């Protein structure tokens, strides 16, 4: 079975009936042959932080897990179902950097693809954030944290394409 197509799931999560592909709203969607359940899919939301120090340097974190292990990422992560993005970002900063942050203005929202497989499209929400007191420590799925000057951002070692867009928007502010 090909990844990235919409035939990955075989059975209805509601009744166990077989799923079939139908064009609805001009898009192929999986529909249950038994109960008519439509298996809508959406991009998965994430929240990330743009954190700078007193010299205006940007904080990036090195990914400790795949996809893109060893590449530089913005600190952040996937939101849980129903989770407020600002609360989710604060939770992620505690998990990843062991720090409480004050979340500031929205930088933007960017569509991307996490792992180029089925159901891996992401909707990435980026905020400016400010760490409150305490020392940031790499934890969880981060192996290293590092400050980069605006002229020395490691563009070729960034984990995901959307980071290029968000960092350009942030630099152009
Ligand atoms: Zn069904």
């Amino acid at each position: 079975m090909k990844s990235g197509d919409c035939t990955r799931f075989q059975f209805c999560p509601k009744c166990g009936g077989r799923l079939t592909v139908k064009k609805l709203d001009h898009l192929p969607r999986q529909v249950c042959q038994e109960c008519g359940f439509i298996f809508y899919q959406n991009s998965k939301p994430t929240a990330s932080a743009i954190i700078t120090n007193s010299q205006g340097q940007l904080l990036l974190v090195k990914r400790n897990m795949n996809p893109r292990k060893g590449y530089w990422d913005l600190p952040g992560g996937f939101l849980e179902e129903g989770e407020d993005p600002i609360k989710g970002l604060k939770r992620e900063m505690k998990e990843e950097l062991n720090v409480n942050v004050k979340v500031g203005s929205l930088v933007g929202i960017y569509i991307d693809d996490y792992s180029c497989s089925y159901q891996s499209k992401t909707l990435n929400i980026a905020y400016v954030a400010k760490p409150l007191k305490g020392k940031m420590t790499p934890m969880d799925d981060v192996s290293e944290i590092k400050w980069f000057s605006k002229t020395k951002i490691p563009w070729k070692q960034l984990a995901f394409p959307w980071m290029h867009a968000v960092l350009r928007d942030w630099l152009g502010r």
Side-chain angles (χ1 to χ4, degrees):
M1 203 171 288
K2 276 201 319 246
S3 66
D5 64 15
C6 103
T7 57
R8 192 69 163 258
F9 294 125
Q10 296 183 55
F11 301 105
C12 174
K14 209 170 163 190
C15 80
R18 196 162 271 282
L19 293 170
T20 187
V21 176
K22 278 188 184 161
K23 240 184 186 182
L24 293 173
D25 320 310
H26 310 289
L27 287 171
R29 300 189 191 279
Q30 288 194 283
V31 180
C32 177
Q33 292 179 324
E34 303 296 324
C35 75
F37 174 80
I38 305 169
F39 207 169
Y40 288 105
Q41 305 298 336
N42 305 88
S43 307
K44 298 197 183 310
T46 77
S48 296
I50 294 205
I51 296 173
T52 50
N53 62 15
S54 55
Q55 289 112 63
Q57 293 172 310
L58 172 71
L59 182 84
L60 292 176
V61 300
K62 193 174 256 186
R63 293 177 62 80
N64 198 20
M65 55 182 264
N66 278 316
R68 308 293 279 169
K69 184 176 177 176
Y71 285 79
W72 293 103
D73 202 354
L74 287 170
F78 285 99
L79 297 176
E80 300 295 340
E81 184 183 10
E83 187 175 40
D84 177 88
I86 291 176
K87 282 187 185 153
L89 183 55
K90 289 181 176 177
R91 173 183 57 72
E92 285 286 347
M93 295 305 93
K94 194 72 193 161
E95 289 172 10
E96 245 175 42
L97 302 172
N98 194 29
V99 75
N100 293 311
V101 298
K102 182 177 168 22
V103 178
S105 61
L106 178 72
V107 181
I109 302 174
Y110 307 83
I111 292 291
D112 205 351
D113 195 329
Y114 187 60
S115 62
C116 295
S117 61
Y118 185 49
Q119 276 225 305
S120 70
K121 305 294 183 293
T122 53
L123 183 148
N124 303 280
I125 309 169
Y127 296 94
V128 168
K130 200 174 172 54
L132 301 173
K133 63 173 187 247
K135 185 173 156 36
M136 284 186 282
T137 315
M139 306 201 347
D140 205 16
D141 45 8
V142 164
S143 63
E144 189 185 338
I145 62 176
K146 196 171 169 182
W147 297 101
F148 292 90
S149 345
K150 289 178 178 174
T151 53
K152 291 202 171 141
I153 290 169
W155 295 101
K156 287 183 177 156
Q157 264 75 51
L158 295 181
F160 302 107
W162 78 274
M163 293 174 64
H164 291 249
V166 67
L167 292 179
R168 284 211 186 89
D169 286 352
W170 171 67
L171 289 167
R173 277 179 152 200

